[in-house]
Amino acid sequence: MPIKVIIASKNPVKIDATKASFQRKFPEHSFEFEGVSVPSDVNDQPMTHKETQEGAQNRANNAKIKYPEADFWVGIEGGVHDDEFGMQAFAWVVVLSKSISNQAQTAVFYLPEAIAKLVRSGIELGEADDIYFGRTNSKQKDGAVGILTNGEIDRKAYYEHAMIMALIPFTLKVLSN
């Protein structure tokens, strides 16, 4: 019977990153993945590290409440944070099982000031990218990290690194829940 993983997002990039990470870490297992829509209970554009982590945690928890029959629940939340150097962009990943919870953060990068100004004005980062670069729906494609690195770091790989780090205690337990 496949191991059921609920991803607290309908975003294809987040779903693909979760699939790739679980399959890479546990190649001997078969999985069933499902992307679902659940609330983050934070602002649409989290503006601090704390709010972003809370959003990922809330998504995973809300998915677990709504879909208790699964084996794993994953929350991924992108956010920004202003510091003395400018506006950072990053994401938090939370992975839950019936008995373990862990989290990890992606790498942090700084946004160009023109995009940061749009975000500070109340526009979500994905929409700010679309406005600035003249694109559509970039948050379900390469996102800010892909655009700003000219595709050298795509959004899927960006999330995968954090997902694999969040899976560390699960690899130690070898899915024995």
Side-chain angles (χ1 to χ4, degrees):
M1 184 165 200
I3 294 166
K4 177 90 176 198
V5 180
I6 298 291
I7 302 118
S9 178
K10 293 277 196 175
N11 185 316
V13 175
K14 293 178 180 181
I15 292 168
D16 289 346
T18 301
K19 285 180 180 179
S21 299
F22 272 82
Q23 290 167 338
R24 184 171 160 192
K25 290 305 295 177
F26 308 107
E28 69 280 5
H29 294 281
S30 63
F31 293 94
E32 178 186 336
F33 297 96
E34 183 179 355
V36 301
S37 183
V38 295
S40 68
D41 300 322
V42 298
N43 290 312
D44 288 343
Q45 178 58 71
M47 298 296 287
T48 66
H49 286 283
K50 183 178 187 300
E51 184 181 19
T52 307
Q53 188 283 330
E54 285 175 8
Q57 185 71 54
N58 292 344
R59 286 188 190 280
N61 288 337
N62 288 336
K64 188 173 184 178
I65 290 166
K66 192 170 180 179
Y67 301 92
E69 74 288 351
D71 300 294
F72 289 92
W73 301 268
V74 174
I76 303 171
E77 189 76 17
V80 297
H81 180 91
D82 269 312
D83 68 13
E84 66 271 24
F85 303 110
M87 181 176 279
Q88 305 173 355
F90 51 86
W92 277 91
V93 173
V94 172
V95 179
L96 307 176
S97 72
K98 290 180 170 68
S99 62
I100 299 174
S101 172
N102 201 37
Q103 62 190 358
Q105 183 183 0
T106 63
V108 172
F109 63 97
Y110 285 88
L111 297 170
E113 187 55 30
I115 295 171
K117 282 181 182 176
L118 291 170
V119 174
R120 287 186 200 104
S121 78
I123 297 172
E124 281 187 67
L125 177 56
E127 186 180 346
D129 289 336
D130 289 345
I131 292 166
Y132 187 78
F133 293 105
R135 301 174 59 140
T136 57
N137 203 21
S138 61
K139 74 179 188 177
Q140 290 197 356
K141 298 174 188 161
D142 48 0
V145 70
I147 295 168
L148 295 171
T149 64
N150 293 318
E152 297 214 18
I153 300 173
D154 68 28
R155 195 167 182 220
K156 179 178 169 272
Y158 184 65
Y159 290 147
E160 279 182 62
H161 290 154
M163 181 78 60
I164 287 169
M165 290 183 286
L167 287 171
I168 289 170
F170 303 98
T171 60
L172 298 174
K173 201 155 164 123
V174 192
L175 297 172
S176 64
N177 313 350

